[in-house]
Amino acid sequence: MKWSEVRQHFPERCVLVEALKSKTRGKERIIEEMSVIDDFENGNAAWKVYKKLHSENQNRELYIFHTNNEEIKVIERSYIGAFLLEGFSGT
C-alpha cells in the first residue's frame, strides 16, 4: 500500500507498518510500499507490538505512524552503539 491508501483505510489511527519497498535518499528513508500489520487507538499500544516484533526479528523494517499526518518522513541516524539514559548523571 501507499501512504495515501493507508490513510484512507485507517483514518485517525496509529498504524504499525512494515516497509516492503524502500530506499534511502540522502539521510531520508523513502517508503514506497508498506503493509499494515495492525492499527491502534494510541501509540502506546502500537509501541508494545512493535517492541515484540522487533525483538523477534530485528531485520524487519517496522514503523509506527499516525494517519493524521498527510506525509511521512523517516530520517536515518547512525547507530553508534551507545544509548542515553534520561536523568542518568553517571555518578
Side-chain angles (χ1 to χ4, degrees):
M1 295 177 103
K2 304 272 187 212
W3 178 242
S4 59
E5 296 170 303
V6 173
R7 291 185 72 226
Q8 288 176 346
H9 285 85
F10 303 96
E12 298 187 23
R13 303 287 287 175
C14 284
V15 289
L16 174 60
V17 301
E18 181 170 11
L20 301 177
K21 183 179 179 187
S22 57
K23 62 184 177 186
T24 300
R25 185 180 308 138
K27 292 190 176 214
E28 186 175 355
R29 191 74 175 151
I30 310 296
I31 304 168
E32 298 174 347
E33 291 287 334
M34 63 190 77
S35 173
V36 176
I37 295 170
D38 208 345
D39 66 301
F40 306 88
E41 283 188 29
N42 64 67
N44 290 335
W47 183 242
K48 287 179 184 177
V49 176
Y50 171 92
K51 289 190 296 187
K52 179 183 180 297
L53 293 175
H54 184 70
S55 70
E56 292 170 357
N57 184 350
Q58 296 177 6
N59 293 319
R60 292 177 77 179
E61 194 172 345
L62 303 172
Y63 300 97
I64 299 169
F65 300 115
H66 199 284
T67 57
N68 284 350
N69 296 310
E70 289 185 29
E71 297 179 357
I72 53 175
K73 189 169 190 172
V74 177
I75 304 299
E76 291 186 332
R77 294 187 180 163
S78 298
Y79 176 69
I80 59 172
F83 61 93
L84 175 67
L85 293 175
E86 189 172 315
F88 180 71
S89 66
T91 59

